[in-house]
Amino acid sequence: MELQISITDLCNYSCIMCMQQAHEGLYDAKDRIIPRLHNGNRGFIDKKVFKKILEDTKYIEFDLLKMQWNGESFIHPGITGLINILREYTNFKRIVFTTNVSVINQKIIEYLKTLNTHIQFVLSIDSFDQNIYKKIKGIDNIHKVEKNIDLLKKQLPKAIFTFQAIAMNENKHNIKEFIDYIKSKYLIDEIIWDEPLIYKKDSNHIFIKKLGAFNQLKYDEIHKNLFYDLIENKDYIITAWDGKGIRKPCVGPFTTPTFNWDGRMTYCCMDSELELSPGNIIDKSFEKLWNSKNSQQLRNAHLDKNADLYPRCKRCLNLNKI
């Protein structure tokens, strides 16, 4: 199983392809505007909520704890206090921090050093080219980010580092340079193209991620073409539904409890608006939420191939299949 906790749904960046910006128009479909993420209900997780989640789930041996969802975790003003709480729990094989690396500092690193579990950093970079980086991220900050990466790698040498680029219009002609730069500077050769695999690696690697977008087929093709341009003599295999045939059940309702910063639970990271939420861990125990009637009905719908009864599931590409 995997546990995912949103430390915050706020971010200090304005990445053009992110749900954070969708209220200004979807990426590559600016005429399609959706409400701002969580509207006015945005903020930072409280220590009591964070500890309640960890305490209620401490009897479960998780493969992963993902310390990020919909925001930049390290901007939380009390992030060191949360890391201090996390030290008390050892029922995770790996703790994953997905980050833009912009606010990492020595104090945070000193607290990270105290964790008793293996750490993985998924570094959201997209390009080391200053102009492309600024165009994608909305901020001219790549030099500071590189310094912070170097600091992390020097002081946390046992951590796993995933250098991530999401393939899109702005950087598709720069992906080879992105890979070559990492190979040269950080001496990393392995390239991963399928997201589930990055959490199974015990060494540093490069991850070229497929963009989830309104015009999905276009970005499927961009990702696939990059693979064949850069990788020889291998088959392109990605664990996502291609829109053909009968969908297989999703693993989310069975294996990936996901918590918003305010304590509301859902079943996977794709449910960003918590449409599937069975309730809040502030009001009920994790066991009651996870085994609730709503949870069982959702699982049965997937097993019976009736997931489309749930609008959020119907819109999903079923990234993780059983």
Side-chain angles (χ1 to χ4, degrees), residues 132-260:
I132 296 173
Y133 183 91
K134 183 178 179 181
K135 190 171 185 179
I136 293 173
K137 303 293 192 181
I139 186 170
D140 186 3
N141 206 29
I142 187 59
H143 298 305
K144 180 181 179 182
V145 164
E146 280 202 69
K147 288 180 181 178
N148 288 346
I149 292 172
D150 293 343
L151 189 65
L152 274 175
K153 288 189 92 294
K154 181 179 180 180
Q155 300 206 29
L156 292 166
K158 293 183 179 180
I160 299 167
F161 289 86
T162 302
F163 287 78
Q164 175 181 289
I166 301 176
M168 63 190 94
N169 295 324
E170 288 73 17
N171 68 353
K172 62 183 179 182
H173 299 300
N174 180 249
I175 293 295
K176 185 178 186 303
E177 286 75 11
F178 176 80
I179 292 171
D180 289 344
Y181 184 79
I182 295 168
K183 285 183 175 182
S184 174
K185 180 174 180 178
Y186 299 106
L187 305 179
I188 298 171
D189 291 320
E190 186 171 18
I191 306 171
I192 308 297
W193 297 79
D194 194 7
E195 185 160 8
L197 297 180
I198 70 174
Y199 304 113
K200 298 177 181 179
K201 296 295 178 180
D202 293 320
S203 57
N204 300 335
H205 52 272
I206 301 163
F207 173 39
I208 308 303
K209 183 175 181 176
K210 182 170 67 173
L211 176 66
F214 178 75
N215 187 0
Q216 190 60 52
L217 292 178
K218 174 181 176 180
Y219 294 96
D220 289 353
E221 196 67 18
I222 286 174
H223 192 258
K224 186 175 182 178
N225 288 339
L226 281 169
F227 176 88
Y228 284 122
D229 286 345
L230 298 171
I231 306 295
E232 296 181 358
N233 303 320
K234 286 191 177 181
D235 293 328
Y236 179 79
I237 301 173
I238 302 295
T239 54
W241 185 52
D242 61 5
K244 301 174 183 177
I246 298 174
R247 292 171 55 160
K248 293 183 179 181
C250 176
V251 301
F254 302 89
T255 63
T256 59
T258 302
F259 286 91
N260 193 40

Side-chain angles (χ1 to χ4, degrees), residues 89-102:
Y89 300 89
T90 57
N91 55 313
F92 313 103
K93 293 180 181 177
R94 182 179 300 189
I95 300 173
V96 181
F97 294 92
T98 298
T99 175
N100 59 36
V101 213
S102 63

Side-chain angles (χ1 to χ4, degrees), residues 270-284:
M270 299 300 289
D271 187 22
S272 57
E273 292 295 339
L274 295 107
E275 298 172 44
L276 302 171
S277 177
N280 195 310
I281 199 163
I282 296 173
D283 305 316
K284 297 180 181 179

Side-chain angles (χ1 to χ4, degrees), residues 80-134:
T80 54
L82 298 180
I83 296 171
N84 203 39
I85 292 171
L86 190 55
R87 291 172 54 197
E88 302 171 23
Y89 300 89
T90 57
N91 55 313
F92 313 103
K93 293 180 181 177
R94 182 179 300 189
I95 300 173
V96 181
F97 294 92
T98 298
T99 175
N100 59 36
V101 213
S102 63
V103 296
I104 292 289
N105 57 43
Q106 189 62 46
K107 182 180 179 181
I108 291 173
I109 290 175
E110 291 302 323
Y111 275 84
L112 289 171
K113 287 179 180 178
T114 67
L115 291 176
N116 300 310
T117 306
H118 206 30
I119 300 174
Q120 179 175 3
F121 294 101
V122 179
L123 311 175
S124 176
I125 308 298
D126 299 315
S127 179
F128 282 100
D129 180 281
Q130 185 175 359
N131 293 326
I132 296 173
Y133 183 91
K134 183 178 179 181

